[in-house]
Amino acid sequence: MTVLALETSCDETAVAILRGDGSGHELLASEVASQVAAHEKYGGIVPEIASRNHLIHAPRLLDRAASAAKTRLSEIDVFAATTGPGLASSLMIGASIAKGLAIGFGKRYLGINHLEGHLLSPFFVDATPSSRKSEPCDGGVASTMRAQGDIKPNLSLIVSGGHTMLVAVRGLANYQLIGHTVDDAAGEAFDKVAKMLGLGYPGGPEIEKYARGGDPKRFDFPRSMLGSENFSFSGLKTAVRYLLPKIGVIPSEAKRSRGTRWNDGGSDASGSLDFARDDVLRDLCASFQQAIIDVLVTKTIAAAQKHRVDLVTISGGVSCNQELRRRMRDASSRKGIEFKSAEPWLCTDNAAMIAFAALLRSRAGFESQVTEEIDPNLKVA
Ligand code: KG4
Ligand code: ZN
């Protein structure tokens, strides 16, 4: 069975082709076109620009994916697309294209939940040469030739720009929501704090870069709602905002001042001005990152123990973070819990994870009607 999937839930256009049989699967193509540059000057994603760009990118990516996979679209068995959650006008583009192809070629159509794509991604293993897939993260390369997609029960932490949630996964399509963020998602907190510091978008990789070599104990940031299975990151973001003037940085001025004087002679300033600025910035990023990771690790391990699950998985853009992966792996192993994360290139939005979910669902007999609507607020459980 060969599945073609489109992912257009937000500002990334992606197409993947995955072939599977009873014993495994092989990724034939995975293409991602980022729109970061198109939205950067507006300081956030503009829905109309995102959907117009999906319309421009998708036909080109379909062509590229088909030729990389050495297949014709007429040979595809299932056309899948992300149907939620996400931006309505973006979701409609991918779903409409998949439906049109399914109708045109007389094949099956399957709508996939973006969050299910993320939470199944740690189970996706393939041996595709890295040249055949885009690597928006830091690209781990695959190991086995053909791999099974058995979904072992696990406690899944999905951490992305739009979502932070804990899900008890009992098997394919059998999910229970354990906790979710009551305000900002973890990735959103990374992005907003990076913006305050005058760093680029997306903020997560920028903060991770500066955090390396910084002192995570220098600034004492809050770890909110530790007694609950829900998350809250807006207090942490506010704590950073209040701290900046105290160390001589006015948030909106951060970008400008980073080029000159980052810390204007406060008690933390030492050595040359440039050194003082980078030193404070590194410590601030390390302390902020540590606060987020402490919360994510503590709650995930507590939930795994409470729900008696012996496997923890993490997925979504923030799970690219090497320090988060290391800390979650260590904490799991101390409790005798197995740990699995999605390969780095699969953590940020892509269509391979949607194709993988579609392949598993197709094999299990799931099918969608072309009359089914997209749902911007689609729930995973
Ligand atoms: O999964 P994703 O591509 O899109 C959503 O579904 O939201 O996640 C994007 C988010 C952004 O907020 C970005 O800052 C964050 O993932 N991210 C990271 C890292 N790489 C991406 N956060 C922390 N550390 C990283 N290395
Ligand atoms: Zn995502």
Side-chain angles (χ1 to χ4, degrees):
M1 180 191 303
T2 307
V3 175
L4 182 148
L6 289 119
E7 155 63 42
T8 63
S9 63
C10 193
D11 62 337
E12 233 103 51
T13 320
V15 174
I17 300 178
L18 183 67
R19 180 170 295 151
D21 57 25
S23 63
H25 53 259
E26 191 183 0
L27 185 64
L28 302 181
S30 177
E31 303 283 338
V32 184
S34 168
Q35 297 184 16
V36 168
H39 299 273
E40 213 161 25
K41 57 178 175 284
Y42 301 99
I45 292 158
V46 183
E48 185 182 330
I49 293 179
S51 43
R52 283 168 176 248
N53 274 305
H54 288 315
L55 272 179
I56 294 167
H57 293 315
R60 188 168 53 83
L61 295 190
L62 282 168
D63 266 358
R64 273 193 5 207
S67 69
K70 298 187 177 53
T71 189
R72 285 193 296 269
L73 294 182
S74 57
E75 290 165 345
I76 302 289
D77 302 297
V78 179
F79 290 95
T82 304
T83 48
L87 292 171
S89 50
S90 284
L91 292 164
M92 271 192 259
I93 306 292
S96 302
I97 294 172
K99 287 177 183 184
L101 290 168
I103 294 168
F105 289 115
K107 303 292 177 63
R108 276 180 289 157
Y109 163 70
L110 196 54
I112 296 292
N113 186 316
H114 181 84
L115 298 170
E116 183 178 45
H118 276 307
L119 73 78
L120 294 176
S121 62
F123 294 92
F124 184 98
V125 186
D126 85 304
T128 314
S130 52
S131 57
R132 266 209 238 155
K133 60 202 174 194
S134 352
E135 297 181 17
C137 254
D138 58 356
V141 183
S143 43
T144 38
M145 242 346 260
R146 297 176 77 73
Q148 279 289 0
D150 293 337
I151 308 305
K152 211 182 136 187
N154 67 92
L155 205 292
S156 159
L157 171 69
I158 307 174
V159 257
S160 69
H163 302 273
T164 296
M165 56 176 69
L166 285 168
V167 181
V169 175
R170 321 246 183 250
L172 182 69
N174 186 352
Y175 312 126
Q176 180 194 351
L177 181 65
I178 303 293
H180 60 93
T181 180
V182 296
D183 42 53
D184 291 346
E188 197 177 351
F190 270 103
D191 294 338
K192 287 178 175 170
V193 166
K195 196 171 174 185
M196 281 183 219
L197 299 176
L199 304 177
Y201 178 88
E206 292 284 309
I207 289 186
E208 179 173 25
K209 189 173 75 193
Y210 282 98
R212 275 187 209 117
D215 175 6
K217 295 201 175 77
R218 169 102 173 248
F219 300 107
D220 187 20
F221 290 126
R223 276 78 170 151
S224 301
M225 296 178 76
L226 279 182
S228 156
E229 287 179 318
N230 286 333
F231 300 86
S232 166
F233 293 109
S234 76
L236 172 59
K237 178 191 67 192
T238 309
V240 176
R241 189 184 298 284
Y242 286 157
L243 175 72
L244 293 186
K246 291 187 195 152
I247 57 172
V249 179
I250 303 161
S252 60
E253 302 276 293
K255 186 147 203 164
R256 199 143 36 94
S257 66
R258 281 194 53 236
T260 53
R261 244 175 120 99
W262 209 75
N263 185 328
D264 202 7
S267 60
D268 290 315
S270 59
S272 74
L273 282 175
D274 272 357
F275 176 78
R277 182 197 70 205
D278 286 347
D279 182 39
V280 177
L281 180 59
R282 277 200 299 270
D283 293 347
L284 186 57
C285 288
S287 303
F288 166 78
Q289 178 176 278
Q290 178 97 335
I292 293 210
I293 292 177
D294 281 353
V295 171
L296 295 176
V297 171
T298 305
K299 285 171 185 276
T300 305
I301 301 298
Q305 290 185 297
K306 179 174 168 191
H307 295 274
R308 297 176 191 286
V309 183
D310 60 9
L311 170 63
V312 157
T313 64
I314 59 172
S315 59
V318 180
S319 73
C320 281
N321 189 288
Q322 295 296 327
E323 184 63 8
L324 171 62
R325 294 161 88 93
R326 187 186 69 73
R327 292 270 316 277
M328 195 70 88
R329 185 178 301 112
D330 289 354
S332 303
S333 100
R334 276 199 299 278
K335 301 286 180 196
I337 297 170
E338 193 191 341
F339 171 70
K340 240 186 215 302
S341 52
E343 287 186 47
W345 69 274
L346 266 176
C347 291
T348 47
D349 287 349
N350 65 86
M353 67 182 191
I354 304 301
F356 182 53
L359 181 68
L360 297 186
R361 278 192 171 254
S362 294
R363 275 190 198 146
F366 287 86
E367 202 173 322
S368 305
Q369 302 302 312
V370 287
T371 47
E372 278 176 32
E373 287 208 69
I374 52 108
D375 180 355
N377 301 311
L378 191 60
K379 302 283 179 264
V380 72

